[in-house]
Amino acid sequence: MNTIEVNHISKSYGEVKALDDVSFAVSKGEVFGLIGPDGAGKTSMFRILCSLLLPETGTASVDGFDVVRQMREVRCRVGYMPGKFSLYQDLTVEENLKFFATLFGTTVEAGYDSIKAIYSQIERFRDRKAGALSGGMKQKLALSCALVHSPSVLFLDEPTTGVDPVSRKEFWEMLLTLKERGITIVASTPYLDEVRCCERVAFLDHGRLRGVGAPDAILDEFRDIFNPPGIEKVATESQQTEQENVIEVEHLVKAFGSFHAVDDISFSVRRGEIFGFLGANGAGKTTAMHMLTGLNQPTSGTGTVCGYDIRTQHEQIKKHIGYMSQKFSLYEDLTVSENIRLFAGIYGMKDDEICRKTDELLRKLKFTEHKDTLVKSLPLGWKQKLAFSVSIFHEPGVVFLDEPTGGVDPATRRQFWELIYDAAHRGITVFVTTHYMDEAEYCDRISIMVDGKISALGTPDELKEQFHQPDMDHVFTYLARQATRSSD
């Protein structure tokens, strides 16, 4: 018996064909994946199936109810986690849950059995605002809100983007317990290990359905998209001989009351090095990065970036670094060229240099035809490449990248890392956090934070040998599961 039927669905936005004659079915109680590169049409399909968007042609049904003619019945039967965090940041955990229960005409008490296994893990934080939770805890709250009215079908649009590997594994373990209760689950994800958790997947590409089948069969058939060849790391002559440290940190501490978010860390980073700064959500990575970039002051300890003291010369530091946050950092309502000019001006570059380098960058990114396109209309992967290129437009000594490829498909991530390698070859130090462990393998050296401390530091090969693990995913999981403090 099929819980979801999609028949010849099409949807356009102006001249862009988001979905083009798509048909597939999902069985009752199945864990079904909707996969594909950025701009493939996945989110449009989710919104149509949740009755939030009308198709132009074709029909679709959920639990036997037509998504257009019977949208009220559909909405009572589905739970939906959109790609962007869907809760209210300024409401507490408990207030969010009560709000979503009210929307569906029920109460937390009436739906508690549906969410008990998940909500019990965050219930002790019921009075904390949602915006103050870690990534893993936010996902548990969002899932609880989507389940509070006991839906029969759960739609998850990239639910674990920005969440560390251990928390992602725990999230999917929770999903498999929902399957045991007979809930049908449709999920999209850029993580290949999560794709393999599905029983079947549908591969969308530029709005067209290119295949439906077992995950391994689809991933193998379209390996050029999902498993592009790795990047060869070739050290330049300057990297082989350059020993100058661009970042030096000694006994750095950041305390909030009695809580030490960063607890006595020491390390150095060389010029032109790609340095991976890893850790589970709440381990202290972002707090440490904020101190190094002059956004926050340390409680104790010392550090320099590009020769400037992080305690007293943070304004000078800001002039010599680039920064790309995990939340998209460009202006959506400006064009590509306007964004470049704006940030170049902020960095103090001269007009003739800005004009010359803008033309060079547009050609390099193959964006010349899109220079007058509003950034908000670009695919996510394009936005990420543009944001990175803007962050190093002024040739900084160090660029800080905070989870720069979150939610981006494998082929686009590979292109992004080619830009990183090019920057490192030009002598720019790259300081990067990531939750993709295949990207950790691309780094020259890696540190892994646990409970505010650096628990491991070395090359990927050194760490795999030290901890007797086959890859960086296993190294990370081994260390992260030794954490004793909560991620919140």
Side-chain angles (χ1 to χ4, degrees):
M1 175 182 176
N2 292 328
T3 294
I4 298 171
E5 295 270 4
V6 175
N7 297 301
H8 305 291
I9 288 287
S10 293
K11 179 66 180 178
S12 297
Y13 304 100
E15 297 180 358
V16 177
K17 197 85 169 177
L19 294 168
D20 187 5
D21 194 28
V22 175
S23 300
F24 63 88
V26 181
S27 303
K28 180 177 176 57
E30 187 175 18
V31 179
F32 189 85
L34 203 57
I35 63 174
D38 303 315
K42 304 185 295 296
T43 297
S44 293
M45 180 58 72
F46 276 117
R47 290 175 178 168
I48 288 172
L49 292 175
C50 291
S51 78
L52 301 174
L53 187 68
L54 294 175
E56 287 165 4
T57 62
T59 61
S61 64
V62 176
D63 253 2
F65 295 96
D66 187 274
V67 298
V68 176
R69 293 183 292 102
Q70 299 168 296
M71 62 174 61
R72 184 178 295 275
E73 289 85 351
V74 168
R75 290 176 182 179
C76 290
R77 287 164 172 78
V78 303
Y80 178 44
M81 277 181 65
K84 294 182 179 178
F85 184 51
S86 55
L87 306 180
Y88 291 91
Q89 305 271 10
D90 291 331
L91 295 183
T92 66
V93 168
E94 188 172 46
E95 288 168 342
N96 266 288
L97 196 58
K98 286 182 177 179
F99 174 76
F100 277 84
T102 303
L103 284 181
F104 290 102
T106 185
T107 65
V108 175
E109 291 73 23
Y112 191 79
D113 285 345
S114 298
I115 63 172
K116 181 179 179 181
I118 300 164
Y119 184 58
S120 61
Q121 300 177 41
I122 59 173
E123 195 167 8
R124 65 184 184 278
F125 303 114
R126 64 170 70 90
D127 295 325
R128 183 172 297 183
K129 288 186 177 182
L133 299 175
S134 73
M137 290 297 172
K138 283 179 179 178
Q139 302 307 80
K140 291 173 184 176
L141 175 57
L143 185 57
S144 297
C145 290
L147 291 169
V148 70
H149 62 296
S150 303
S152 57
V153 183
L154 186 61
F155 292 102
L156 308 170
D157 192 358
E158 299 191 1
T160 58
T161 296
V163 179
D164 68 79
V166 173
S167 296
R168 289 198 296 106
K169 289 182 176 71
E170 293 174 350
F171 186 88
W172 275 84
E173 287 168 1
M174 289 188 288
L175 293 185
L176 296 179
T177 66
L178 297 178
K179 171 183 165 57
E180 293 172 4
R181 287 162 38 192
I183 297 176
T184 303
I185 298 170
V186 181
S188 66
T189 175
Y191 296 99
L192 299 189
D193 57 329
E194 295 182 359
V195 171
R196 292 187 174 94
C197 290
C198 301
E199 293 166 270
R200 288 189 307 139
V201 297
F203 171 39
L204 287 172
D205 186 21
H206 293 90
R208 296 191 66 86
L209 185 68
R210 295 184 61 185
V212 178
D216 284 334
I218 295 296
L219 293 177
D220 182 63
E221 183 178 356
F222 301 101
R223 67 180 72 87
D224 56 324
I225 294 173
F226 293 105
N227 191 24
I231 301 174
E232 288 290 328
K233 287 201 293 187
V234 180
T236 63
E237 184 176 339
S238 62
Q239 287 176 307
Q240 292 169 343
T241 59
E242 187 65 71
Q243 296 299 318
E244 176 190 355
N245 287 333
V246 176
I247 299 174
E248 294 185 339
V249 170
E250 292 287 342
H251 304 294
L252 202 61
V253 173
K254 181 62 180 181
F256 299 95
S258 60
F259 176 72
H260 284 199
V262 175
D263 191 7
D264 193 16
I265 64 172
S266 300
F267 63 91
S268 61
V269 184
R270 295 186 295 274
R271 182 175 300 282
E273 186 173 23
I274 302 174
F275 188 80
F277 201 58
L278 309 186
N281 295 115
K285 306 185 305 299
T286 299
T287 301
M289 188 178 287
H290 283 175
M291 287 188 283
L292 294 176
T293 55
L295 298 175
N296 213 330
Q297 292 294 295
T299 303
S300 63
T302 61
T304 60
V305 175
C306 297
Y308 296 101
D309 192 305
I310 63 172
R311 299 178 65 92
T312 61
Q313 297 176 295
H314 32 87
E315 290 305 319
Q316 289 92 327
I317 287 174
K318 291 175 185 177
K319 295 176 182 178
H320 290 83
I321 64 171
Y323 182 70
M324 181 178 167
S325 68
Q326 61 191 110
K327 293 181 179 177
F328 184 56
S329 53
L330 299 182
Y331 289 91
E332 299 262 301
D333 291 328
L334 295 181
T335 66
V336 169
S337 58
E338 286 170 342
N339 265 284
I340 296 171
R341 174 167 288 278
L342 172 65
F343 282 93
I346 291 173
Y347 293 136
M349 297 175 64
K350 295 180 180 179
D351 284 348
D352 57 345
E353 185 183 14
I354 293 174
C355 290
R356 176 179 57 80
K357 292 198 68 174
T358 296
D359 290 341
E360 291 176 359
L361 177 59
L362 291 172
R363 286 196 300 271
K364 181 177 180 180
L365 295 179
K366 299 180 180 178
F367 278 15
T368 302
E369 295 180 2
H370 303 280
K371 66 179 181 179
D372 296 322
T373 301
L374 290 179
V375 164
K376 65 182 176 184
S377 65
L378 296 176
L380 175 61
W382 288 32
K383 291 179 181 179
Q384 301 294 72
K385 287 188 285 187
L386 177 62
F388 174 70
S389 299
V390 167
S391 73
I392 62 170
F393 196 67
H394 59 307
E395 296 290 327
V398 183
V399 61
F400 291 89
L401 308 176
D402 194 358
E403 296 176 29
T405 56
V408 180
D409 64 85
T412 305
R413 287 198 293 114
R414 187 190 189 282
Q415 294 169 12
F416 188 94
W417 272 83
E418 288 174 347
L419 295 177
I420 289 178
Y421 270 48
D422 180 64
H425 288 166
R426 302 203 313 266
I428 297 175
T429 299
V430 180
F431 190 99
V432 58
T433 72
T434 180
H435 287 320
Y436 291 98
M437 292 301 104
D438 61 324
E439 293 184 352
E441 302 274 3
Y442 292 154
C443 296
D444 297 313
R445 283 191 306 144
I446 293 167
S447 78
I448 300 178
M449 288 189 73
V450 178
D451 291 346
K453 298 178 180 293
I454 292 180
S455 293
L457 179 62
T459 68
D461 287 342
E462 287 170 351
L463 296 184
K464 286 181 282 189
E465 182 177 354
Q466 178 182 348
F467 296 102
H468 310 291
Q469 300 294 334
D471 52 41
M472 283 307 303
D473 183 64
H474 283 80
V475 171
F476 183 95
T477 301
Y478 172 78
L479 291 171
R481 285 189 164 153
Q482 295 178 16
T484 56
R485 76 186 189 193
S486 165
S487 62
D488 289 277

